[in-house]
Amino acid sequence: VCDTGNKYLSKMYNDFWMAEQGFVSRQPHGDLCDLISHRHEAGEVISVGPEDTLLTAFTRMRSADVSQVPVVDQNGHPLGIRHQAEDEDDPDWLVRADVLRGLRAISAANMTYDLLVRPRNLPAAIAVARELPSLSLVVDHLAKPEIRAGRFDGWAEGMVRLAELPNVWCKVSGMTTEADRVNWLPSDLVPYVQHVRRNFGDRRLMFGSDWPVSLLAGSYLRTFNATITALGELTEISRDAIFGGNAKEFYKLATSE
């Protein structure tokens, strides 16, 4: 069957794709700017604002064929920062002097910081949260407990200590890929989710799908339903908070529907 080429027609109207493929020339700068694909000051960054709805974000992601978009305010400043601290060789990377300077700058700019960490990074995360009480922190993916191996105690102790600090929140996400990706059951997640719920409370938890990474362990619907099961009984107020309200508050997003 001949390829009609129709899958490329829409790409011709996507300036970012055209530039990346070399079909559209860009002004060279002779420095590192030439290595950056999308420059915000040139209007090349696909983004959403804090007042935009989820539907707006989804539509822009779909039209640009991307899985993530930055949220920036009217001045072009991001609302929060995340670094994959879990991938740093040094488990105490977060408490390095240069990193702490950066985190202080994030706090001074009234931005949030996502703690993408693993259990081995929890002592450093705790130290950061204590050192910078004005910095709003959220632990991504429950700090990735080793569900597949059934390890609990060390992770659990670290999460208790984090939950004692009022500037730390927790994102209920990314659990299924830490479990047996083929044979996991909602019951595998229950001890971990219930632990953070007991310690952080419903006002500092927020649901995250971890899509599209979560697709490695199942569909979006399966992940969503498993999270509901693991959380257990929720009041309407708690449900609305965990599945939207808390994220709006933490990231300073628009409250209108």
Side-chain angles (χ1 to χ4, degrees):
V1 178
C2 296
D3 183 355
T4 64
N6 59 355
K7 66 180 180 180
Y8 297 110
L9 292 178
S10 62
K11 298 293 188 181
M12 296 182 64
Y13 300 96
N14 185 326
D15 292 339
F16 316 118
W17 186 87
M18 294 289 285
E20 287 176 345
Q21 305 306 313
F23 296 124
V24 176
S25 61
R26 299 180 60 198
Q27 178 67 35
H29 295 268
D31 56 25
L32 289 177
C33 288
D34 294 334
L35 301 179
I36 301 174
S37 297
H38 306 311
R39 301 175 60 214
H40 184 269
E41 64 269 24
E44 297 177 346
V45 178
I46 298 294
S47 64
V48 294
E51 73 285 350
D52 287 323
T53 65
L54 183 60
L55 179 59
T56 297
F58 177 76
T59 300
R60 290 181 186 172
M61 290 166 63
R62 187 170 185 177
S63 63
D65 195 23
V66 296
S67 62
Q68 296 184 7
V69 291
V71 181
V72 297
D73 63 20
Q74 59 185 359
N75 297 315
H77 299 147
L79 300 187
I81 299 290
R82 184 178 86 162
H83 174 71
Q84 292 177 289
E86 62 168 344
D87 291 333
E88 297 290 343
D89 292 334
D90 182 3
D92 296 324
W93 179 86
L94 283 165
V95 292
R96 280 179 14 181
D98 56 339
V99 176
L100 283 173
R101 283 197 299 271
L103 292 174
R104 289 191 183 96
I106 292 173
S107 179
N110 197 31
M111 293 191 294
T112 63
Y113 186 78
D114 277 49
L115 288 164
L116 183 51
V117 297
R118 292 187 177 273
R120 73 187 188 106
N121 308 117
L122 287 178
I126 294 164
V128 165
R130 288 175 175 166
E131 177 75 15
L132 303 173
S134 62
L135 176 60
S136 295
L137 300 161
V138 59
V139 181
D140 287 353
H141 313 327
L142 280 74
K144 296 193 171 183
E146 298 175 87
I147 301 174
R148 184 165 48 252
R151 296 191 177 96
F152 184 85
D153 292 344
W155 164 85
E157 180 182 353
M159 296 302 284
V160 168
R161 293 169 63 191
L162 275 175
E164 292 172 347
L165 305 169
N167 58 322
V168 182
W169 301 47
C170 184
K171 199 171 290 185
V172 183
S173 60
M175 300 170 291
T176 58
T177 48
E178 298 304 315
D180 184 323
R181 295 183 180 182
V182 176
N183 300 309
W184 68 270
L185 298 171
S187 57
D188 298 332
L189 316 180
V190 170
Y192 301 91
V193 175
Q194 286 299 310
H195 182 70
V196 296
R197 189 180 178 195
R198 282 193 302 271
N199 286 279
F200 283 90
D202 293 348
R203 290 301 303 167
R204 285 191 291 151
L205 291 182
M206 61 184 83
F207 167 73
S209 69
D210 197 29
W211 182 91
V213 177
S214 60
L215 297 177
L216 294 171
S219 67
Y220 177 92
L221 182 60
R222 187 182 178 202
T223 299
F224 181 79
N225 288 336
T227 303
I228 292 177
T229 298
L231 283 166
E233 186 175 351
L234 295 171
T235 65
E236 184 177 351
I237 292 176
S238 290
R239 182 199 64 200
D240 291 346
I242 294 172
F243 288 92
N246 292 345
K248 289 179 179 179
E249 179 182 347
F250 180 83
Y251 290 111
K252 305 176 182 67
L253 304 175
T255 56
S256 59
E257 296 299 328

